[in-house]
Amino acid sequence: MARQPDNKSADKSAANLKSDDSALIRELALLLDETSLTEIEIERAGLRVRVARNITVSAAMPAGFQPTPAAAAVPAAGADLAKHPGVVPSPMVGTAYWAPEPGAKPFIEVGAKVSVGQTLLIIEAMKTMNQIPSPRAGTVTQILVEDGQPVEFGEPLVIIE
C-alpha cells in the first residue's frame, strides 16, 4: 500500500481542527443545558454541527394529594388554570398541534382516557415536532389551546383529572 509523504504542518492543522470541533460540540452541549433548548445547529467555514437531545416531561404528585370530584373539574370563570392540579403546562415555546398531520385524527379529545406517557399533542419548535406526553393517567377534561396556536413556556395546555 502506497503512503503519502508526511506533511507535519498538515497533520498539525488537522489535529487543531479536530480539537476545535470537539470544543465547539462541548460548547453547544453546554449551551443546550444553560438555555433548556432541545436542539441547536451551527454552520461556519463549511462545517455544520447539530447537537440535540430528547427531553421527557414528568410531574410528581405532592404527598397527600387527593383527586377532586368530577363536579369540581371545571374551574370557575376567571380562575387561574395554571394553578389547577390537573394542568399539563407547555415545556417549551412553539406552535401546538392536536394531530400528527393536517386532517389526521387528534391525539386526544375532551372526555378521552389517557395513560402516562401517551402523546397529548405536539409542539413545533424550530421546525422540530416535539411530542408532549401525559404526565399522569386520567380523563381529559379540557383542552386549553387551539390547533395551530402559538404557546409559551409554562402555558396551560390540557387538564387531566
Side-chain angles (χ1 to χ4, degrees), residues 4 6-7 10 17 21 41 50-52 60 82 94 103-104 123 129 155:
Q4 296 287 334
D6 287 337
N7 184 347
L17 283 177
D21 294 348
E41 184 173 341
R50 179 176 168 260
V51 179
I123 295 181
M129 298 298 182
E155 182 176 337

Side-chain angles (χ1 to χ4, degrees), residues 16-122:
N16 285 342
L17 283 177
K18 288 181 183 177
S19 173
D20 290 346
D21 294 348
S22 295
L24 176 62
I25 292 169
R26 283 189 176 87
E27 188 176 326
L28 292 175
L30 285 172
L31 187 60
L32 281 180
D33 288 337
E34 292 171 1
T35 60
S36 298
L37 292 173
T38 58
E39 178 178 328
I40 191 166
E41 184 173 341
I42 187 170
E43 183 174 355
R44 67 178 181 198
L47 172 70
R48 179 181 289 178
V49 177
R50 179 176 168 260
V51 179
R53 65 178 164 154
N54 290 331
I55 61 166
T56 320
V57 178
S58 63
M61 291 291 181
F65 174 77
Q66 296 294 323
T68 57
V74 179
D80 186 6
L81 294 175
K83 294 181 182 176
H84 191 284
V87 75
V88 177
S90 177
M92 66 190 69
V93 174
T95 304
Y97 294 104
W98 290 0
E101 60 186 33
K105 182 180 177 224
F107 292 109
I108 57 168
E109 296 175 349
V110 173
K113 302 272 188 212
V114 294
S115 57
V116 174
Q118 179 179 338
T119 301
L120 300 173
L121 45 87
I122 54 176

